[in-house]
């Protein structure tokens, strides 16, 4: 089992920045994929960014160039640097890791962007 705890969400003005963090703990399972998802009110959860074990990354078109996903050397944390935030980025952001085809999720952290 892997436990994930997100932090760093909050309220920010449009054009501002936030950095989300996700700390992984529990069994030292190999992590093959790390990702951030988000879910806005009334919408389905969507992928925001992924980071593979080979450190290749992928971004949703709506955040490309504004967001950056990264991990630490131990690969027990994943971060999402969000810049130039817009109101459409408002959502609950979830950390996700995949190990042996099993997905683990954090509890989510709220990001609100005001005009």
């Amino acid at each position: 089992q892997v436990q994930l705890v997100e932090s760093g969400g909050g309220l920010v003005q449009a054009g501002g920045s936030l950095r989300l963090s996700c700390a992984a703990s529990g069994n030292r399972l190999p992590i093959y994929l790390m990702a951030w998802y988000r879910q806005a009110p009334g919408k389905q959860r969507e992928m925001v960014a992924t980071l593979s074990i080979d450190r290749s990354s992928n971004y949703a078109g709506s955040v490309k160039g504004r967001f950056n996903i990264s991990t630490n050397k131990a690969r027990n944390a994943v971060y999402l640097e969000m810049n130039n935030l817009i109101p459409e980025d408002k959502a609950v952001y979830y950390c996700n890791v995949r190990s042996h085809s099993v997905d683990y999720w954090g509890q989510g952290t709220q990001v609100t962007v005001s005009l």
Side-chain angles (χ1 to χ4, degrees):
Q1 283 282 358
V2 176
Q3 290 80 43
L4 302 173
V5 178
E6 299 107 332
S7 61
L11 173 64
V12 64
Q13 283 191 324
S17 299
L18 281 175
R19 186 176 190 246
L20 305 183
S21 299
C22 174
S25 62
N27 291 342
R28 292 285 296 173
L29 299 174
I31 294 175
Y32 299 105
L33 187 71
M34 312 176 92
W36 286 94
Y37 285 72
R38 67 185 181 187
Q39 187 166 19
K43 294 189 176 181
Q44 287 190 330
R45 190 173 297 189
E46 63 173 356
M47 184 277 290
V48 176
T50 64
L51 183 64
S52 300
I53 193 170
D54 63 359
R55 297 200 177 248
S56 61
S57 58
N58 186 40
Y59 297 90
S62 60
V63 308
K64 196 173 293 185
R66 300 187 297 123
F67 290 12
N68 184 65
I69 188 171
S70 63
T71 186
N72 60 358
K73 190 174 181 180
R75 289 183 60 83
N76 58 7
V78 59
Y79 309 101
L80 186 68
E81 186 76 32
M82 305 185 294
N83 299 306
N84 195 20
L85 285 158
I86 59 177
E88 290 75 16
D89 294 321
K90 175 184 176 179
V92 177
Y93 284 71
Y94 296 92
C95 173
N96 165 268
V97 300
R98 181 172 298 167
S99 178
H100 295 305
S101 300
V102 177
D103 281 312
Y104 298 91
W105 295 91
Q107 81 288 352
T109 184
Q110 176 72 48
V111 171
T112 302
V113 184
S114 64
L115 289 170

